[in-house]
Amino acid sequence: FNGWMVTQFRVPPFITTLAWFMTARGLAYKFCQAKPVSNLPDSFTWLGQGQVGPTLFTVADTPGAAGRPQSLWFPILVAALVTAAIHIVLTRTRFGRYVFAVGGNEETSRLSGIRVNRQKLIVYTLNGLLAGLCGLLLAARLQAGDPKVGQQPPLELGAITAVVLGGASLSGGKGSIAGTLFGAVFMGVLDNGLALLGVACALCFTGCVLPWNQLAYWATTIATEMIGAFPVLGPPLLRLVRGGESVGEPTLGRFFA
């Protein structure tokens, strides 16, 4: 649906995805009556809590007690397989090269013979399938389908921060799966580290309550985007501050004259 709205009606992607995100959340509240859906079958919850493969290590609940064998968690296996598959597609296939080309410059890609709308539809479709897979694994992990999950802290904010921290550009055309994986691991370690250190979950400032994890997400996202945009925006801004390098070039002095 998002891809169709973007390609056929030229609706900005941010507006389309945000609108459908709010609509889907409202529908979830309506169907679930704002209550968690529990009593899920064991075959479903195994997707989020099951283990596969040989025993890797043991975990003891108390010192001296017999350890419980631990194997590879199924969600980790799924994440590894999906990450590897997407990395291969983006770096080793023509479709992956087309995705980066469309993200970098749509008009140039169109003039080069790339079917831009088709590429967008495929990308949005894959995005929806992977989002649905994540929702299934999360519901299986929690043993319930709760429409309020992912609001505090917002999962979408964490996802955007992880991608940007991993080197991807919000303007498109740049990014990697390895960088995104690093960003996700970094934000997870940061979030858990603050909790283990006993840092207060929120900072009260002038009557507002600001969660620490959201402050970290926003600060990291803004700093990374500024660093990534400096090679493009830095030289023009420096010329603007220094007074221009050619006749007729705008300067700060002319703006305030």
Side-chain angles (χ1 to χ4, degrees):
F1 178 80
N2 290 334
W4 183 65
M5 292 293 294
V6 171
T7 57
Q8 300 300 322
F9 295 95
R10 309 296 179 183
V11 181
F14 180 80
I15 301 299
T16 303
T17 53
L18 182 62
W20 178 243
F21 166 71
M22 300 302 296
T23 302
R25 175 168 288 178
L27 291 175
Y29 271 97
K30 176 64 177 178
F31 292 148
C32 300
Q33 297 181 356
K35 299 179 181 179
V37 178
S38 56
N39 297 325
L40 300 178
D42 295 338
S43 58
F44 178 78
T45 57
W46 182 90
L47 297 176
Q49 302 179 1
Q51 302 180 23
V52 295
T55 301
L56 301 178
F57 55 91
T58 58
V59 176
D61 297 330
T62 57
R68 293 179 286 105
Q70 299 292 324
S71 301
L72 182 63
W73 293 94
F74 184 73
I76 297 179
L77 176 62
V78 172
L81 293 177
V82 171
T83 301
I86 296 178
H87 174 74
I88 294 174
V89 169
L90 290 180
T91 58
R92 304 296 181 182
T93 66
R94 182 173 57 181
F95 170 76
R97 293 192 294 268
Y98 284 176
V99 169
F100 280 105
V102 173
N105 193 311
E106 288 189 19
E107 187 61 26
T108 302
S109 301
R110 185 178 291 106
L111 295 176
S112 301
I114 300 176
R115 301 173 64 178
V116 175
N117 288 343
R118 180 183 179 184
Q119 292 295 122
K120 285 185 176 181
L121 283 174
I122 295 176
V123 170
Y124 276 103
T125 301
L126 293 176
N127 182 39
L129 290 175
L130 293 177
L133 177 62
C134 292
L136 289 176
L137 294 177
L138 181 59
R141 178 66 177 171
L142 300 177
Q143 296 185 347
D146 192 348
K148 297 185 292 295
V149 170
Q151 297 185 23
Q152 294 295 335
L155 292 181
E156 64 276 8
L157 181 58
I160 295 173
T161 304
V163 172
V164 174
L165 185 62
S169 174
L170 295 181
S171 59
K174 180 182 178 182
S176 66
I177 295 300
T180 300
L181 180 61
F182 166 79
V185 172
F186 176 81
M187 296 309 298
V189 172
L190 177 63
D191 214 1
N192 291 332
L194 291 175
L196 292 175
L197 290 175
V199 179
C201 63
L203 171 66
C204 296
F205 181 72
T206 63
C208 300
V209 179
L210 304 176
W212 276 108
N213 44 21
Q214 295 188 29
L215 286 173
Y217 289 156
W218 281 114
T220 306
T221 302
I222 294 174
T224 307
E225 273 300 300
M226 291 179 64
I227 295 174
F230 183 78
V232 178
L233 300 179
L237 290 177
L238 290 177
R239 289 197 300 267
L240 191 66
V241 173
R242 291 172 180 174
E245 296 180 353
S246 62
V247 178
E249 189 172 6
T251 64
L252 286 179
R254 292 174 185 170
F255 289 153
F256 297 100

